[in-house]
Amino acid sequence: MKVNVTELIIRLILTAVGFGVVLFLPAGTLAWPAGWVYLVLLFGFTIGITVWLARFNPELLEERMSGIGKPGQKSWDKVFLALLLPVFFGWYVVMALDAVRFEWSRMPPWLQWIGAGVLLASFYIFYLTFRENTYLSPAVRIQTDRGQTVVSTGPYRHVRHPMYAGFILFTFGTALLLGSVYGLLGALVLNALIAWRAVREEQVLKSELAGYDEYMTRVKSRFVPYLL
């Protein structure tokens, strides 16, 4: 499968600009070192994983770019994603208002450094998940068009939803690096929503994907081995 490089570059640029706007516009200034560090880390990883997928798994890259809205996506998931998007970007706005414009809360620099480390750890988990699961669609749908099967190797040996596990680290790492206590509270809200989606997604996989019910009996944890 050939990747549309022009479309890919445009998407990356627009996404980077969008994140920059939701961070720096409510902050009211470009003089926000943590904000710049965050964008560099986030889009360094985004560009890196995109190039990696384009080379080693272009079919997955195409699925990531176009999976939402494809036939087979559950209607409840379409509604969920439509509601999640404003909550997700609103979270960034609140963090910018908190950490920079109004300084509602303060966070020591050492915690921000820890946040950077947590963020990088989340990127590594994302990479491991992308490497292992060629069916990693952004939409809840059974990919009969791609011959989807159960993935039980790599991080899937330990948890059933390593991508969501990485997202948990991503949200807390983001809030810490950007220096927002209110962002940590928002991370709890986002993760509660993602946990709800994971449960609904498992119901779909169990009923429609051969072998997933047996996989659930072998791997007990959803997000954290032996804990959650």
Side-chain angles (χ1 to χ4, degrees):
M1 178 176 294
K2 192 173 181 179
V3 177
N4 188 325
V5 177
T6 301
E7 179 187 356
L8 196 56
I9 292 173
I10 292 173
R11 282 195 180 209
L12 287 171
I13 292 173
L14 291 178
T15 303
V17 171
F19 271 84
V21 168
V22 297
L23 281 174
F24 288 100
L25 188 62
T29 179
L30 293 176
W32 185 14
W36 287 110
V37 169
Y38 180 75
L39 285 182
V40 168
L41 292 178
L42 178 61
F43 283 95
F45 172 74
T46 301
I47 293 169
I49 198 67
T50 300
V51 171
W52 185 87
L53 285 171
R55 180 176 179 183
F56 295 106
N57 199 340
E59 287 189 359
L60 176 55
L61 180 58
E62 193 279 333
E63 177 66 26
R64 297 297 300 180
M65 292 173 64
S66 62
I68 295 175
K70 276 188 174 180
Q73 183 182 5
K74 302 304 178 184
S75 56
W76 63 263
D77 190 52
K78 294 178 183 178
V79 174
F80 175 84
L81 293 178
L83 295 175
L84 180 67
L85 195 63
V87 174
F88 181 70
F89 284 106
W91 173 58
Y92 281 99
V93 171
V94 169
M95 287 189 289
L97 294 173
D98 174 24
V100 184
R101 185 182 287 267
F102 298 118
E103 296 184 342
W104 293 325
S105 64
R106 291 186 179 274
M107 191 170 293
W110 63 268
L111 265 181
Q112 292 182 271
W113 282 108
I114 288 176
V118 173
L119 188 66
L120 291 173
S122 76
F123 293 160
Y124 183 62
I125 293 175
F126 290 154
Y127 163 70
L128 292 177
T129 308
F130 277 116
R131 187 180 68 180
E132 207 66 35
N133 187 359
T134 191
Y135 307 110
L136 195 65
S137 177
V140 175
R141 74 182 193 95
I142 302 301
Q143 299 168 58
T144 53
D145 53 322
R146 299 182 63 217
Q148 183 176 358
T149 58
V150 175
V151 176
S152 58
T153 54
Y156 290 89
R157 292 177 299 170
H158 310 290
V159 294
R160 300 199 296 266
H161 297 284
M163 193 68 174
Y164 293 154
F167 182 79
I168 293 171
L169 291 179
F170 171 83
T171 57
F172 287 115
T174 292
L176 287 172
L177 174 54
L178 294 179
S180 174
V181 172
Y182 286 93
L184 292 174
L185 297 176
L188 293 175
V189 174
L190 286 170
N191 289 319
L193 292 172
I194 289 300
W196 180 87
R197 188 193 196 212
V199 173
R200 292 294 302 269
E201 184 175 351
E202 284 187 339
Q203 293 172 355
V204 173
L205 293 169
K206 185 177 179 180
S207 62
E208 300 182 27
L209 185 62
Y212 196 83
D213 52 349
E214 189 274 332
Y215 167 69
M216 290 178 67
T217 64
R218 289 188 288 110
V219 180
K220 303 293 184 181
S221 301
R222 286 192 176 102
F223 312 117
V224 182
Y226 310 111
L227 294 176
L228 183 65

